[in-house]
Amino acid sequence: MSTSHDHPVTAPGRVEEVAEGVFAYIQPDGSWMINNTGFLPARDGVTAIDACSTQRRTRDFLETIRAVTKLPVRTLVNTHHHPDHTAGNGLFTQATIVAHDNARPEMRLLGLPRNTGIWTDVNYGDLQLTLPFLTFADRLTLWVDELRCELLFAGQPAHTNNDIVAWIPERSVLFAGDLLFNGGTPLLLSGSVTGAAEVLENFVRPLGARTIVPGHGPVAGPEIIDEVLGYLRFVRETAVRARAAGLTPLEAGRECDLGRYAEWSDPERIVGNLHRAYADLAAAEPEQAGDAGGAVDMLGALADMVTYNGGRPLTCLA
């Protein structure tokens, strides 16, 4: 059965100093297009981690940085290409924009967010598509004065095909991007359910972060890894049973009991995630070998999420 979720009126973003000289900017309620960012001030400028989805939200983030330091943002890291993390790039006028090699073409292909009827309408403001112009393949080290910040590629499709994290080993702080959600339903439509689980087990967990800033939701500790892994296993197991029974992803989503995951925001993502899980399963079959991640009809999957939502546009409060 379809499950609705009541979104509260969103509170303003808030800044949290999660470790000495390391700031997270948390935007409630973490649902569609409402992401977290962060920043690290140094003597000669600021490193920011991700932009926001709208002109207003990105300006609020910049004002928050200016309340901590008047120095300009010199570096902007995009943890992946999705527009909730990148649409505001153009407002960082003095920053070198850094991302994974795959992010630049994906960002260009996707373009800026716009109102299409899939989500409730949003005032995105006056935005310009601004692509990263420093990209890397596997890892890159940023120095914030003498503080080391390691930008690490996840190594395979997970949330997307270009996920990177910002790992600050001296502070044991991880900016995880959308590899992790806290209190919100993860979205794997652009990546891989199987790959996301492997990345969390074999890439994120071994870092040993004590403090994790997820892409959406409150700051957490390492327990969030198991929370998200539990959901990924649930999606995978549901997909295996439903595909064997001949159900479509929409039918499978309607029939499955979300259990405790029904309390997470944006539960309609189960349908998109099942589309992706079905594609993962197809890609693992011998005749599909080499088709990493499998193909998904993105527009069809989004339309199915709307159908699951009772035919109503998905709630976006950005």
Side-chain angles (χ1 to χ4, degrees):
M1 294 292 290
S2 172
T3 305
S4 62
H5 187 279
D6 293 329
H7 293 251
V9 175
T10 59
R14 65 180 184 274
V15 66
E16 298 181 20
E17 189 170 9
V18 294
E20 182 184 354
V22 180
F23 296 85
Y25 182 68
I26 307 302
Q27 295 194 95
D29 62 351
S31 56
W32 286 110
M33 300 294 282
I34 302 177
N35 66 309
N36 296 331
T37 62
F39 62 100
L40 295 85
R43 288 188 297 268
D44 60 351
V46 178
T47 294
I49 301 168
D50 281 327
C52 305
S53 60
T54 70
Q55 180 183 34
R56 175 184 64 82
R57 286 184 176 275
T58 304
R59 282 181 170 168
D60 287 348
F61 175 41
L62 287 166
E63 285 299 320
T64 298
I65 295 174
R66 281 191 281 268
V68 174
T69 174
K70 302 303 181 186
L71 292 170
V73 177
R74 299 292 194 195
T75 307
L76 172 63
V77 176
N78 289 154
T79 58
H80 60 288
H81 74 280
H82 283 164
D84 48 337
H85 297 256
T86 63
N89 278 2
L91 297 174
F92 293 80
T93 55
Q94 300 180 59
T96 298
I97 305 174
V98 185
H100 185 261
D101 287 341
N102 292 339
R104 181 180 170 92
E106 293 284 359
M107 203 181 302
R108 179 187 285 117
L109 181 65
L110 190 59
L112 289 171
R114 58 194 184 278
N115 294 316
T116 62
I118 297 292
W119 293 272
T120 51
D121 284 355
V122 170
N123 179 7
Y124 289 105
D126 184 13
L127 299 171
Q128 291 186 341
L129 182 64
T130 306
L131 305 178
F133 51 93
L134 175 60
T135 65
F136 65 96
D138 297 311
R139 61 191 303 144
L140 183 70
T141 300
L142 290 176
W143 292 95
V144 181
D145 294 334
E146 296 305 311
L147 185 64
R148 184 184 185 95
C149 179
E150 299 178 3
L151 306 183
L152 307 173
F153 174 47
Q156 65 185 85
H159 177 67
T160 68
N161 69 356
N162 56 90
D163 300 299
I164 64 173
V165 300
W167 167 231
I168 307 166
E170 188 176 332
R171 303 285 192 265
S172 196
V173 173
L174 180 70
F175 287 87
D178 282 3
L179 293 175
L180 289 168
F181 288 63
N182 186 9
T185 306
L187 183 65
L188 293 309
L189 193 54
S190 300
S192 167
V193 176
T194 302
E198 291 174 354
V199 163
L200 291 182
E201 284 283 18
N202 303 322
F203 169 71
V204 172
R205 192 194 298 279
L207 292 173
R210 293 193 302 269
T211 302
I212 297 176
V213 182
H216 299 258
V219 175
E223 70 282 349
I224 192 180
I225 298 171
D226 287 321
E227 284 288 310
V228 175
L229 277 169
Y231 178 78
L232 298 178
R233 285 191 291 268
F234 166 75
V235 172
R236 174 82 175 187
E237 291 164 3
T238 300
V240 168
R241 292 193 302 269
R243 188 167 178 260
L247 300 179
T248 67
L250 176 59
E251 291 168 339
R254 282 173 157 169
E255 289 196 7
C256 79
D257 179 2
L258 290 175
R260 65 190 183 93
Y261 304 120
E263 300 302 314
W264 289 2
S265 62
D266 310 310
E268 67 273 0
R269 291 177 181 170
I270 183 61
V271 178
N273 291 334
L274 286 168
H275 271 271
R276 174 52 65 188
Y278 274 39
D280 287 351
L281 292 168
E285 294 170 348
E287 63 272 18
Q288 300 292 332
D291 181 16
V296 168
D297 174 4
M298 292 289 188
L299 292 179
L302 291 170
D304 277 355
M305 284 194 281
V306 171
T307 300
Y308 178 93
N309 197 46
R312 301 180 303 275
L314 310 179
T315 300
C316 181
L317 303 176

